[in-house]
Structures are given as structure tokens and as C-alpha cells.
């Protein structure tokens, strides 16, 4: 029965629009639409994207009660749900591993789940049931604090495009097999793995994010990689392992990625790349590499500086460069191998370099030489920002004095020296 | 109509145009570049070659009103210019979307039938923002929704209708009052009893197999699983049968629970089954039978229901604790006294 003033504006819109609206509501509000009118009773029950977050039930001070309420809510929701479920996300910090989750995953595996995100609270890791591996249509998988144990009969997720494992317990063979058995994998993110030696074979991989203690990373077959971001932590174990390794890490890691567009390294990444025999002249040019960001580069280690330089000179189309020093208080103002810079190819032109950001600069000789090199080889440089390390207040004046002397290839270049 | 026509035609005398026909039969000439932003129009032009003249004007879907079309064309005209920054586009969108709800719904419908996804996303987001945080009464006002769920509404202050088993019970008992019961009862009385018995024996069997000292939680969940699955299958087969069966169990539930259920696991399962069964039967919008057979019982239930409603409406959190603890006590007794009886029954 419509109002005298107007007829129902919304209930007869096609289900795809209703879904479009309901999916943008917090899930609680979506369920509440069931009491709007008789037509709306079950509209919420066929939405295909379910996102359960901290606010989906009322909180109270007793964590157990809230957890039970959430579990009941989700279970009942799933039971009342009709139709396929394409996305299922739980991001609830007060929910811990519980037996109901296994049932939910089983239910999802029968309902064409495509995107699954499980982020539970700190505590016992959730043991993922084997029914997850039967989700044939899975495209996107994101797990936090879980234990994964693929059964031997598992042949891979054939539709998986994106895999994100954060603090997940899984054996190295299993993770390598998982990666190589997902032929469509485009984006891979692994964080907080302990002491993992990884060899990645993924012909369609475009985006790679690694964070943790990796003993070894070998990009065996990743020709399509476009973006790499690595944060490498170091333990004594790994440091020792590195001392003994003779392979050239640079080539192992960056030797097979000609399409690279963006490279980001944190913490010990540059050190990692510097280990191993000197490759000499690099075998490949990174024609598409436009952004390089290397953090915590130690300018007292000649090998690391070489790595930085090789990268820069092998990227003719580099547009943006960001380097941060390792903010260790320099032990000496003198540095060996300064004459290396004289031998540096002066005809190297960074013809596309426009923006340079340097942070945590201590003013050590190699840093200054690098700046000099950059200024002298970038004809279209627009801006260079230098932020000195906070510990070295005295040498800032010295840095500035030297900076002023450097020849600039670009008339437009602005040097911005930012002091706290 | 003609004004907008003029505005569109004048500046682009040299531009290729497309003829469009809206649901009211009126013809309109629109710059091709702008109209082609809509996938549906694009398809019509490219694949079917329509729209080049008045005679083969593209007939737009029914849901595209002239007003909506004009808004859509404005939208397309702004966004198809490539030089604009994201910020500009966003601020245009925010201004564009300011209109009354009726127009907004018409626009959503029209954009959807023209397959213009970015605009559908924009309008959906806006509609979601309108709905979010409002009380059901407010939402009904905004969209002119009929208020035809009166009983359930009474429970509205409790806010979350999917939350508690007792709300579900309340819901169903209320619904019972206003539905025709007799036909259902006549049809299903006999099968109801059989089903009921079947369930129970399977439950007992399960508990026997799993062992009574097995983890009650585990038992509960596996049983729940089985029950849920079974309920689901039954759902697909004959709806009324199940509805009545579940109802019966539940009505008898209050007083007869200790007898029908044995071990703790079953009691728990049955309680949560009640929850699920209430949800299931809600599906069929009825679930009410057997009450007529005992008017005294019905009256008692009515009174109970009203008490319930009053209690629930008054002091919610404390009452919930009370009721839950009451439920716990009831469950405890059957476990200890009937444990042996199950084994004996099955032996």
C-alpha cells in the first residue's frame, strides 16, 4: 500500500542495484533493512559481499560475551543467506580461532567464494581447514595469523590472482608449490615469515611485496614483475649465512625482471643485494623503471653504494629517486675508495630524472659524492630534497657549503635543504 | 525538451549526433561523443548501426525518463573530457548528486539500464549514505515504503532482529497469531509426529556414537551441522512440512524439553536448532500450526509471549542475562537425569 503522497521509490529496483546499495552499508544496517517492509524482508540475504568488522555487533566490556555474540551473528547470517557468496571478510580483533570458523569456511567453499579475507585477533593461530583448498573459484586470499597446510592432492588455485599471507605458518615447500601452482597469480604479498628461503616461480606475477626475515630470495621465473617492494630484516643467523654465500644476490633477485617499473627496498634490502660476487656490468637495462626507493642504505659500505649506482645507471628512464641513509653516526670523516667516483662514467645521463629525495643524510663523503653525481647527470632535474640526519647538527653547515659548490646539469634544479 | 535540444544542438552543428528516443516517445539529438559514454548506447551504435537518423533512433530502455537522461548526459559530458583531475571529478560528483531522493532513485534506475557503472556506483553510494544510521521509520519515510510488518516492528527497540533466540521465538509466536493455521495443521499433523520422532532418534544415535563424554561443543557443532544441512535440504523439498514440524517441537519445547532431549549436547543443539528452525520457518512466512489443538495452551502461550515482550522491552541487558541463566538451569537437569535413558533406548 503506497502512500497517498508517492509510491515506493526503491523496492522495485533490480536486485543488482539493491545489492550495490546494501553492500555499501555496514553489515548490521544491511540486515536491519529486513524490517523495513515485506519486500525488504530478505533482500539483504542475497548480497554477495559480506564484510564483518569490529562494529557488526554491540561491544561490551566482557570480551567473551562479545566474541560469542559475533560468532552467533555470523553463523546465523550465513544460515539465512541465499545464493552465492563472492566475498567474505572478517576483520575482528576480539574474535579468536574457534570451531565455528571451520564450518563457515566449509559453507563458503560450497558457495563459489571468490575473495576471502580472515584477520582475527592476536592469539592462537587459526588452523585453516582443508576445505579451503576446494574453493575452486578463489581469486583473492588474504590470511592473517593462520596455519596453512595444503593437502598433498592440492593442485593449486587455478583462478587465484592475489595472495596475501601475513604471519602465516606454512612450510617453505608448501608456499613455493602454492605460488607456482597458481598460474594466474598477479600479486603476492608475504609478511613476517621467519627465516624463509624462497624461490618464486610465477610467470604472471606483477606485484611482489615481501617483508620479514628471508634467508634467500630467488626470482626464478617472474618476467612480468612490475612492482617490487622488499623489507628485509636481519638476524644473526641470516647475517652469518650471508657471509658465506657466494652467489650474486643482485642478479638472482633482479636479473630476470626487465619490465620493472617500481622498486622499493627497506632496512637490509640494499645490503642483501650487495652480497655476492660483483656482477660487473649489469646484464640488463630496466627500461621501464621509473621509481626507485631505497631506504637504510649504508653509505659506509662500498658494495651497497655500488648497488645503488648500478641500479641508477641501468635505468635510463628513471623519473623519481628516493634514498635514505642508515642514520648511523658516521665513525670517520675519511672514507676509502673515494677515487671510485672519479672513475664513474661521467657521460651517464639520467635524462628523465626529475625528483630526488634524500633523507637521513649524515654528510659522509660518499653521500656527498652521490649528490654531486646526481646533480651533474640530470639535465631535467626539477627538485632535490635533502633532509639531514637529526643526530649530526654540526656537519649540516659543512654539507651545505659543499652542496653549493656542485655543478648542476639542470638549470631548473631546486635544492631544498630541510632542517628541523 | 526542446530547450535542452537547442542547447545541445547549437554549439555542435558540425559534431556527429545520435538520435535517442526516450520512454515517452520523444526524440532527442545528442552529440555522439557524449552519448557514447553509455555502454548501452555505444553498443547500439557500433553493433547495430542505430541512431544515425530520426528514423532509426535508439530506443532507450523504459526506465530512462527524460529528466534522468538529461542528468546522465550532463554527467557524461563532464566526465568524458580527459584533462580533468581526480579532485575535480570528485567535487563535480558531490555537487551533481545533490537532488531529492525520488530523482536519485530514478537516476540510479536509468543509469543501470544504460549500463553506466560509474554513475550507478555513485548513486548507490549516496543511497547507502542516506540509509546508514537511520531508524527504520525514517528510512520508510524517505523512500515511501509501506509499513506492512507490524508484529515484527514491535520488536524494533531490540534493534537486532537476528540476534537472540528468544527474539526469534517472539517473532514467530507473533506471526502465528495472524496467520491461518487450520489448513496447515490439517495437512501436516501426521507427518509432523513422524518427523519429530525421526529427528530425536537420529539425535540420540549421534550422541551415542559420539560418546556422551565427548566434547559437548564439538558434538553440538557436528550435530548442528547435520541438523542445519538437513534443515536446508528439507527447505528445498516441502516447506510446510518442516515449518510445522519445527514449530511443534518448539511449542512443546518449553515444557517438554527435558523429555525430548537427552544429553546436554542434544539439549544445546535443540536450543540452537530452535533458533535456526525459527529462522527457517520465517522463510516461509508462517510456521504456525498445532496451537489450535489446545486453546488453553495457546492462551498460556499468548500470555507468556506478552510477558516476554514486556520484559524484553523494559530492561533488556539484565533480563537477557536472567533468561539465559534460566535456560542454563533447565539444560543442566536433563543431562544428569536422562543420560542413561538414552543408552537404554538405543540398546
Amino acid at each position: 500500500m503506497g502512500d497517498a503522497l508517492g509510491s515506493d521509490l526503491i523496492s522495485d529496483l533490480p536486485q543488482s542495484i539493491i545489492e550495490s546499495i546494501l553492500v555499501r552499508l555496514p553489515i548490521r544496517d544491511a540486515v536491519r533493512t529486513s524490517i523495513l517492509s515485506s519486500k525488504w524482508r530478505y533482500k539483504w540475504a542475497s548480497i554477495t559481499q559480506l564484510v564483518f568488522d569490529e562494529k557488526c555487533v554491540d561491544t561490551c566490556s566482557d570480551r567473551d560475551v562479545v566474541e560469542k555474540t559475533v560468532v552467533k551473528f555470523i553463523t546465523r547470517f550465513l544460515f539465512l543467506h541465499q545464493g552465492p557468496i563472492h566475498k567474505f571478510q572478517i576483520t575482528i580483533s576480539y574474535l579468536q580461532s574457534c570451531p565455528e570458523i571451520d564450518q563457515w569456511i566449509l559453507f563458503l567453499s560450497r558457495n563459489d567464494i571468490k575473495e576471502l579475507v580472515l584477520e582475527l585477533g592476536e592469539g592462537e593461530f587459526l588452523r585453516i581447514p582443508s576445505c579451503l583448498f576446494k574453493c575452486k573459484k578463489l581469486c583473492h586470499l588474504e590470511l592473517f595469523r593462520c596455519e596453512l597446510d595444503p593437502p598433498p592432492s592440492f593442485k593449486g588455485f587455478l583462478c587465484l590472482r592475489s595472495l596475501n599471507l601475513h604471519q602465516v605458518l606454512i612450510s617453505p615447500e608448501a608456499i613455493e608449490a602454492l605460488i607456482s601452482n597458481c598460474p594466474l597469480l598477479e600479486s603476492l604479498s608475504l609478511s613476517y615469515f621467519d627465516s624463509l628461503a624462497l624461490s618464486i616461480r610465477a610467470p604472471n606475477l606483477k606485484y611482489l611485496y615481501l617483508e620479514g626475515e628471508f634467508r634467500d630470495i630467488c626470482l626464478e621465473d617472474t618476467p612480468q614483475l612490475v612492482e617490487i617492494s622488499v623489507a628485509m630484516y636481519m638476524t644473526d643467523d641470516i647475517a652469518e649465512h650471508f657471509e658465506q654465500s657466494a652467489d650474486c644476490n643482485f642478479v638472482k633477485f633482479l636479473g630476470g625482471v626487465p619490465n620493472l617499473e617500481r622498486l622499493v627496498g627497506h632496512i637490509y634490502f640494499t645490503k642483501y643485494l650487495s652480497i655476492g660476487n660483483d656482477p660487473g656490468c649489469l646484464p640488463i637495462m630496466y627500461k621501464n623503471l621509473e621509481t626507485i626507493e631505497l631506504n637504510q642504505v649504508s653509505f659506509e659500505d662500498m658494495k651497497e653504494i655500488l648497488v645503488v649506482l648500478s641500479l641508477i645507471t641501468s635505468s635510463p628512464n628513471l623519473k623519481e629517486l628516493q634514498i635514505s641513509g642508515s642514520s648511523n653516526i658516521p665513525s670517520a670523516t675519511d672514507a676509502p675508495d673515494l677515487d671510485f667516483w672519479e672513475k664513474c662514467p661521467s657521460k651517464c645521463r639520467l635524462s628523465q630524472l626529475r625528483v630526488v629525495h634524500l633523507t637521513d643524510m649524515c654528510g659522509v663523503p660518499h653521500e656527498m659524492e652521490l649528490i654531486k653525481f646526481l646533480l651533474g647527470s640530470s639535465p631535467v632535474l626539477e627538485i632535490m630534497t635533502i633532509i639531514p640526519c637529526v643526530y649530526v647538527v654540526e656537519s649540516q653547515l659543512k654539507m651545505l657549503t659543499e652542496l653549493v659548490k656542485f655543478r648542476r646539469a639542470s638549470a631548473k634544479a631546486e635544492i631544498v635543504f630541510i632542517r628541523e | 525538451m526542446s530547450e535542452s535540444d537547442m542547447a545541445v544542438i547549437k554549439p555542435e552543428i558540425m559534431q556527429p549526433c545520435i538520435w535517442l528516443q526516450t520512454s515517452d516517445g520523444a526524440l532527442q539529438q545528442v552529440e555522439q561523443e557524449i552519448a557514447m559514454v553509455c555502454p548501452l548506447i555505444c553498443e547500439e551504435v557500433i553493433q547495430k548501426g542505430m541512431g544515425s537518423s530520426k528514423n532509426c533512433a535508439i530506443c532507450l530502455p523504459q526506465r530512462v525518463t527524460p529528466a534522468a537522461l538529461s542528468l546522465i548526459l550532463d554527467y557524461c559530458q563532464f566526465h568524458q573530457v580527459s584533462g580533468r583531475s581526480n579532485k575535480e571529478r570528485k567535487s563535480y560528483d558531490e555537487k551533481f548528486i545533490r537532488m531529492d531522493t525520488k530523482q536519485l532513485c530514478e537516476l540510479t534506475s536509468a543509469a543501470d539500464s544504460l549500463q553506466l557503472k560509474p554513475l550507478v556506483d555513485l548513486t548507490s553510494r549516496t543511497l547507502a549514505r542516506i540509509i546508514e544510521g537511520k531508524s527504520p521509520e525514517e528510512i520508510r519515510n524517505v523512500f515511501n515504503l509501506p509499513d506492512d510488518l507490524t508484529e515484527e516492528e514491535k520488536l524494533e527497540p531490540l534493534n537486532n532482529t537476528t540476534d537472540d533466540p528468544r527474539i526469534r521465538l517472539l517473532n514467530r509466536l507473533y506471526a502465528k497469531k495472524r496467520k491461518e493455521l487450520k489448513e496447515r495443521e490439517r495437512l501436516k499433523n501426521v507427518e509432523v509426529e513422524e518427523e519429530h520422532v525421526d529427528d530425536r532418534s537420529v539425535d540420540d544415535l549421534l550422541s551415542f556414537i559420539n560418546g556422551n563424554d565427548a566434547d559437548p561443543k564439538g558434538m553440538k557443532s557436528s550435530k548442528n551441522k547435520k541438523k542445519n544441512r538437513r534443515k536446508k535440504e528439507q527447505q528445498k523439498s516441502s516447506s510446510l512440512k518442516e515449518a510445522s514440524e519445527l514449530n511443534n517441537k518448539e511449542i512443546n519445547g518449553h515444557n517438554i524439553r527435558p523429555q525430548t532431549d537427552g544429553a546436554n549436547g542434544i539439549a544445546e543443539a535443540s536450543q540452537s536448532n530452535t533458533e535456526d528452525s525459527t529462522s527457517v520457518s520465517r522463510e516461509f512466512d508462517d510456521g504456525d500450526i498445532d496451537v489450535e489443538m489446545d486453546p488453553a495452551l495457546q492462551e498460556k502461550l499468548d500470555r507468556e509471549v506478552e510477558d516476554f515482550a514486556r520484559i524484553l522491552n523494559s530492561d533488556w541487558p539484565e533480563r537477557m542475562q536472567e533468561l539465559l541463566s534460566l535456560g542454563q538451569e533447565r539444560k543442566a537437569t536433563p543431562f544428569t537425569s536422562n543420560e542413561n535413558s538414552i543408552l537404554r533406548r538405543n540398546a
Side-chain angles (χ1 to χ4, degrees):
Chain A
M1 260 179 303
D3 252 359
L5 294 170
S7 58
D8 190 332
L9 293 177
I10 193 176
S11 308
D12 295 319
L13 290 177
Q15 179 64 20
S16 60
I17 298 185
I18 303 284
E19 153 126 15
S20 192
I21 299 172
L22 288 176
V23 145
R24 287 173 167 85
L25 289 171
I27 201 145
R28 239 184 129 175
D29 286 23
V31 171
R32 286 207 194 128
T33 60
S34 57
I35 58 173
L36 287 178
S37 78
S38 54
K39 283 190 186 169
W40 280 83
R41 203 86 169 288
Y42 293 107
K43 281 194 196 278
W44 64 274
S46 13
I47 56 178
T48 58
Q49 295 186 33
L50 314 179
V51 175
F52 297 96
D53 58 11
E54 312 273 335
K55 301 193 243 74
C56 66
V57 291
D58 281 332
T59 49
C60 70
S61 53
D62 187 347
R63 191 197 161 111
D64 276 340
V65 166
V66 182
E67 193 178 338
K68 285 210 184 82
T69 317
V70 146
V71 169
K72 272 208 279 191
F73 178 54
I74 298 179
T75 309
R76 224 169 282 140
F77 187 107
L78 288 179
F79 189 55
L80 287 176
H81 187 273
Q82 286 176 300
I85 298 180
H86 291 150
K87 174 171 167 177
F88 185 82
Q89 174 173 341
I90 300 186
T91 315
I92 300 180
S93 63
Y94 48 79
L95 179 60
Q96 308 265 26
S97 157
C98 60
E100 280 84 356
I101 301 187
D102 289 4
Q103 294 176 39
W104 299 342
I105 298 181
L106 178 61
F107 181 85
L108 294 171
S109 69
R110 296 173 179 160
N111 277 287
D112 298 336
I113 184 82
K114 291 194 180 143
E115 195 176 321
L116 179 63
V117 177
L118 285 180
E119 187 179 348
L120 307 177
E122 305 270 347
E124 198 187 318
F125 278 25
L126 172 70
R127 246 200 94 80
I128 299 284
S130 58
C131 50
L132 175 73
F133 300 98
K134 299 208 180 76
C135 300
K136 301 230 177 327
K137 301 204 180 157
L138 204 58
C139 279
H140 176 94
L141 180 61
E142 206 171 308
L143 300 173
F144 289 69
R145 290 181 282 276
C146 301
E147 242 183 85
L148 260 188
D149 194 11
S153 59
F154 178 57
K155 296 280 179 293
F157 292 116
L158 298 176
C159 302
L160 195 70
R161 287 198 145 71
S162 161
L163 180 62
N164 186 334
L165 301 177
H166 179 105
Q167 265 185 295
V168 170
L169 290 176
I170 179 172
S171 74
E173 304 82 34
I175 184 87
E176 277 185 24
L178 180 60
I179 296 172
S180 46
N181 285 336
C182 298
L184 296 183
L185 194 64
E186 277 179 17
S187 167
L188 175 63
S189 172
L190 301 175
S191 26
Y192 297 116
F193 278 72
D194 290 338
S195 213
L196 186 60
L198 195 59
S199 174
I200 299 182
R201 264 168 253 113
N204 279 315
L205 195 65
K206 293 206 174 84
Y207 309 102
L208 178 64
Y209 306 104
L210 299 172
E211 181 175 352
E213 297 164 5
F214 290 95
R215 300 176 67 107
D216 207 6
I217 313 174
C218 179
L219 299 183
E220 258 185 52
D221 181 16
T222 51
Q224 311 272 5
L225 262 181
V226 150
E227 187 166 324
I228 297 179
S229 172
V230 178
M232 241 171 137
Y233 304 149
M234 195 79 79
T235 58
D236 290 332
D237 250 4
I238 298 184
E240 240 185 74
H241 167 83
F242 279 166
E243 300 302 311
Q244 297 153 6
S245 111
D247 294 337
C248 177
N249 282 354
F250 196 111
V251 174
K252 250 197 336 190
F253 194 82
L254 291 176
V257 291
N259 294 322
L260 196 59
E261 286 173 25
R262 194 180 138 93
L263 176 66
V264 176
H266 292 273
I267 315 179
Y268 286 109
F269 181 59
T270 324
K271 169 125 182 86
Y272 171 76
L273 284 182
S274 69
I275 288 169
N277 302 326
D278 190 351
C281 193
L282 266 191
I284 60 174
M285 297 289 269
Y286 302 103
K287 294 207 182 65
N288 297 333
L289 188 51
E290 293 186 1
T291 312
I292 295 180
E293 182 184 329
L294 294 171
N295 296 300
Q296 285 92 34
V297 176
S298 166
F299 279 94
E300 297 185 329
D301 181 351
M302 203 57 223
K303 296 183 93 176
E304 287 193 38
I305 301 170
L306 265 176
V307 162
V308 173
L309 218 53
S310 318
L311 269 173
I312 297 177
T313 51
S314 313
S315 319
N317 292 317
L318 186 63
K319 288 202 172 79
E320 184 174 328
L321 177 66
Q322 203 170 321
I323 298 186
S324 82
S326 63
S327 71
N328 286 326
I329 301 180
S331 48
T333 46
D334 249 359
D337 296 331
L338 269 179
D339 53 349
F340 150 80
W341 288 100
E342 263 121 67
K343 294 182 267 166
C344 217
S346 54
K347 58 179 169 30
C348 171
R349 279 173 71 80
L350 304 169
S351 53
Q352 304 284 337
L353 188 59
R354 282 183 167 70
V355 177
V356 175
H357 293 299
L358 302 167
T359 47
D360 279 327
M361 296 279 111
C362 305
V364 294
H366 281 297
E367 282 173 11
M368 303 313 296
E369 291 292 332
L370 178 66
I371 298 176
K372 182 172 171 191
F373 169 74
L374 288 172
L375 285 173
S377 332
S378 336
V380 296
L381 186 65
E382 286 171 13
I383 182 164
M384 175 185 281
T385 324
I386 304 180
I387 303 179
C389 171
V390 291
Y391 302 125
V392 283
V393 184
E394 318 82 40
S395 42
Q396 280 178 22
L397 191 54
K398 183 161 171 274
M399 276 172 78
L400 276 170
T401 326
E402 285 190 47
L403 268 176
V404 164
K405 281 194 280 186
F406 293 153
R407 209 165 281 156
R408 303 180 197 186
S410 161
K412 294 191 294 177
E414 264 185 48
I415 301 186
V416 181
F417 193 89
I418 302 176
R419 306 168 63 196
E420 292 304 310
Chain B
M1 238 292 282
S2 52
E3 263 183 43
S4 60
D5 246 2
M6 297 304 258
V8 166
I9 293 178
K10 262 199 203 140
E12 32 81 14
I13 302 169
M14 293 305 155
Q15 305 281 356
C17 289
I18 301 219
W19 285 92
L20 302 172
Q21 182 173 39
T22 45
S23 51
D24 57 349
L27 285 167
Q28 203 178 13
Q29 200 180 21
V30 175
E31 218 178 289
Q32 180 162 353
E33 210 181 24
I34 298 176
M36 294 279 269
V37 178
C38 301
L40 186 76
I41 297 179
C42 199
E43 199 185 306
E44 290 278 317
V45 168
I46 293 182
Q47 289 187 6
K48 302 188 192 161
M50 303 273 286
S52 45
S53 73
K54 256 193 195 168
N55 298 331
C56 57
I58 299 176
C59 279
L60 296 177
Q62 176 91 30
R63 290 186 276 151
V64 184
T65 60
L69 179 63
S70 137
L71 284 169
I72 291 177
L73 291 173
D74 285 342
Y75 180 86
C76 293
Q77 184 165 33
F78 182 87
H79 280 281
Q80 55 100 7
V81 175
S82 48
R84 304 204 199 267
S85 73
N86 282 339
K87 214 169 155 195
E88 280 176 12
R89 289 180 197 270
K90 258 190 109 171
S91 76
Y92 173 86
D93 283 350
E94 309 226 334
K95 285 196 215 110
F96 178 79
I97 212 65
R98 283 187 213 151
M99 58 184 79
D100 69 48
T101 319
K102 185 161 194 293
Q103 278 181 308
L104 197 55
C105 294
E106 277 175 16
L107 180 61
T108 315
S109 185
D112 178 63
S113 56
L114 291 178
Q115 299 163 16
L116 191 54
K117 192 167 187 311
L119 185 54
V120 175
D121 285 345
L122 176 62
T123 48
S124 309
R125 248 182 294 142
T126 317
L127 286 167
R129 252 183 288 155
I130 293 177
I131 294 176
E132 189 172 343
K134 286 201 169 62
S135 78
E137 191 55 50
E138 291 168 349
I139 302 178
R140 276 190 219 110
N141 279 337
V142 171
F143 294 106
N144 290 333
L145 299 179
D147 189 0
D148 53 5
L149 287 175
T150 45
E151 270 77 13
E152 278 79 353
E153 256 181 86
K154 285 185 199 168
L155 304 168
E156 216 279 307
L158 304 171
N159 257 338
N160 196 339
T161 54
T162 61
D163 217 21
D164 186 82
R166 280 161 186 81
I167 300 177
R168 292 233 150 266
L169 171 59
L170 210 49
N171 254 336
R172 291 181 53 255
L173 293 176
Y174 265 119
K176 220 174 286 179
K177 280 196 210 170
R178 56 180 168 88
K179 302 294 183 175
E180 280 90 23
L181 318 168
K182 283 179 192 150
E183 297 128 35
R184 312 272 158 86
E185 183 201 313
R186 246 185 273 124
L187 281 170
K188 298 304 157 200
N189 236 341
V190 179
E191 286 115 313
V192 163
E193 286 310 315
E194 283 178 30
E195 280 291 343
H196 185 66
V197 169
D198 274 348
D199 250 353
R200 202 174 32 160
S201 64
V202 175
D203 283 346
D204 293 344
L205 205 59
L206 274 173
S207 75
F208 179 65
I209 291 171
N210 291 333
N212 278 327
D213 43 354
D215 176 25
K217 215 178 177 195
M219 192 154 61
K220 170 190 174 186
S221 40
S222 65
K223 211 157 302 164
N224 254 349
K225 238 183 172 176
K226 248 213 125 108
K227 281 204 144 103
N228 287 350
R229 222 179 295 144
R230 212 165 357 121
K231 293 294 171 270
K232 271 199 158 157
E233 287 158 9
Q234 289 174 346
Q235 204 170 316
K236 291 180 194 137
S237 51
S238 83
S239 49
L240 299 173
K241 205 193 227 185
E242 280 56 73
S244 15
E245 175 246 317
L246 297 166
N247 253 313
N248 192 21
K249 236 184 152 182
E250 196 191 298
I251 296 168
N252 298 328
H254 263 300
N255 304 323
I256 311 179
R257 206 185 284 169
Q259 296 164 17
T260 51
D261 312 315
N264 194 17
I266 296 182
E268 270 186 59
S270 129
Q271 197 221 342
S272 39
N273 195 33
T274 312
E275 307 157 13
D276 304 324
S277 64
T278 55
S279 350
V280 170
S281 58
R282 241 190 128 195
E283 197 91 3
F284 316 117
D285 245 324
D286 57 277
D288 347 0
I289 7 59
D290 304 305
V291 185
E292 297 287 49
M293 66 189 191
D294 189 354
L297 183 61
Q298 168 163 30
E299 230 186 78
K300 180 164 190 242
L301 280 165
D302 283 351
R303 244 180 294 126
E304 252 181 75
V305 160
E306 287 184 28
D307 278 300
F308 241 5
R310 221 184 332 112
I311 293 173
L312 289 171
N313 278 332
S314 59
D315 209 354
W316 183 227
E318 284 91 330
R319 288 299 169 187
M320 177 152 114
Q321 290 302 325
E322 235 183 73
L323 293 166
L324 284 176
S325 56
L326 269 176
Q328 293 290 356
E329 288 167 24
R330 270 203 205 136
K331 269 184 274 173
T333 6
F335 179 76
T336 46
S337 59
N338 291 336
E339 199 179 319
N340 297 324
S341 64
I342 307 167
L343 299 172
R344 249 184 286 121
R345 246 183 279 151
N346 284 324

